[in-house]
Amino acid sequence: MAFLLGNRAEMVDSAVKIRFLLVFLFGFWASMAEAQVDSLFIQAGTASFYGKKFHGKKTASGEIFHLDSLTAAHKRLPLGTVIRVINQKNGLAVVVRINDRLPSYSKRQIDLSRAAATRLEMIQDGLAKVRIEAVDLDQLDKLVEYYADEEHPGLRIRPYYQGISILKRELNLNLVHYTPECIEIFPTDFQLVKN
């Protein structure tokens, strides 16, 4: 009976070790993912949406504005930039392309098309606190390059450097005896005995 209990204790011990290892690995991966998401952050602030009177009008990019397109106006981001806008109240997100400019005196950070505002469920409120992010690291790199020589007040644009994993190398503690004729490798418990 003791043999069976001992075996069970070993099984429980190894199961605990496996769970600990899995929790550690998932925690590590989650922190890496969170670091990358945080690095995509550009700006936080207030969003509004275009009124119907702008439908069919020309935007700063020269395009014709449509209420049902997933586009937005921003003060400083380059025209054509694709960004993710996240409603901080409900966590809903939408990907939009910047094709217009907000006036410099506007207190809002971004003005969304009606379709984008609908996806964020902000039509009823009219305004929403949002988080603006690059959609991926390639888009972030384009923004870093664009703003390399320009001021970008209010925007958090910086390069993202991905960590490099380096494998651990084992140190060989074997003693090496070198003579011009040959090299001899001795085990670590080697003792030299003189005659």
Side-chain angles (χ1 to χ4, degrees):
M1 186 72 167
F3 174 72
L4 291 175
L5 288 177
N7 227 0
R8 185 170 174 86
E10 286 176 15
M11 286 174 44
V12 168
D13 186 41
S14 58
V16 168
K17 288 178 184 176
I18 290 172
R19 284 188 182 146
F20 177 76
L21 179 64
L22 288 173
V23 166
F24 174 77
L25 289 175
F26 286 128
F28 177 74
W29 287 326
S31 67
M32 291 294 286
E34 184 178 333
Q36 183 174 342
V37 166
D38 188 50
S39 69
L40 296 175
F41 174 77
I42 296 173
Q43 187 178 34
T46 305
S48 58
F49 64 93
Y50 282 90
K52 292 179 182 177
K53 68 180 182 180
F54 294 102
H55 184 73
K57 305 277 188 204
K58 199 177 216 179
T59 63
S61 66
E63 295 176 36
I64 302 301
F65 173 70
H66 295 280
L67 289 172
D68 59 348
S69 63
L70 293 176
T71 57
H74 194 276
K75 290 180 196 176
R76 293 181 188 86
L77 288 175
L79 297 175
T81 302
V82 179
I83 57 171
R84 179 179 295 108
V85 181
I86 302 166
N87 185 336
Q88 293 183 330
K89 181 179 176 182
N90 58 23
L92 295 174
V94 65
V95 174
V96 296
R97 186 175 42 83
I98 304 297
N99 73 340
D100 206 0
R101 289 277 170 243
L102 276 173
S104 58
Y105 56 82
S106 176
K107 293 181 182 178
R108 296 179 184 89
Q109 280 62 47
I110 194 164
D111 204 6
L112 301 167
S113 66
R114 188 169 185 88
T118 301
R119 289 193 184 184
L120 294 180
E121 294 182 359
M122 60 175 275
I123 297 291
Q124 192 73 15
D125 298 333
L127 300 174
K129 294 289 181 194
V130 295
R131 175 184 167 99
I132 300 170
E133 300 177 346
V135 289
D136 56 25
L137 293 175
D138 291 335
Q139 186 68 58
L140 184 65
D141 288 342
K142 289 177 187 174
L143 290 171
V144 167
E145 187 178 317
Y146 179 84
Y147 286 109
D149 300 325
E150 286 187 40
E151 288 282 324
H152 46 86
L155 300 177
R156 187 178 136 197
I157 309 284
R158 60 180 188 194
Y160 172 73
Y161 299 105
Q162 190 166 2
I164 301 171
S165 299
I166 299 175
L167 297 175
K168 180 180 174 184
R169 292 180 53 189
E170 295 293 325
L171 179 62
N172 185 352
L173 297 176
N174 290 335
L175 297 174
V176 176
H177 176 70
Y178 174 74
T179 61
E181 295 81 31
C182 67
I183 296 176
E184 297 177 26
I185 299 178
F186 301 103
T188 55
D189 60 345
F190 173 79
Q191 292 179 355
L192 186 60
V193 179
K194 292 188 177 184
N195 293 334

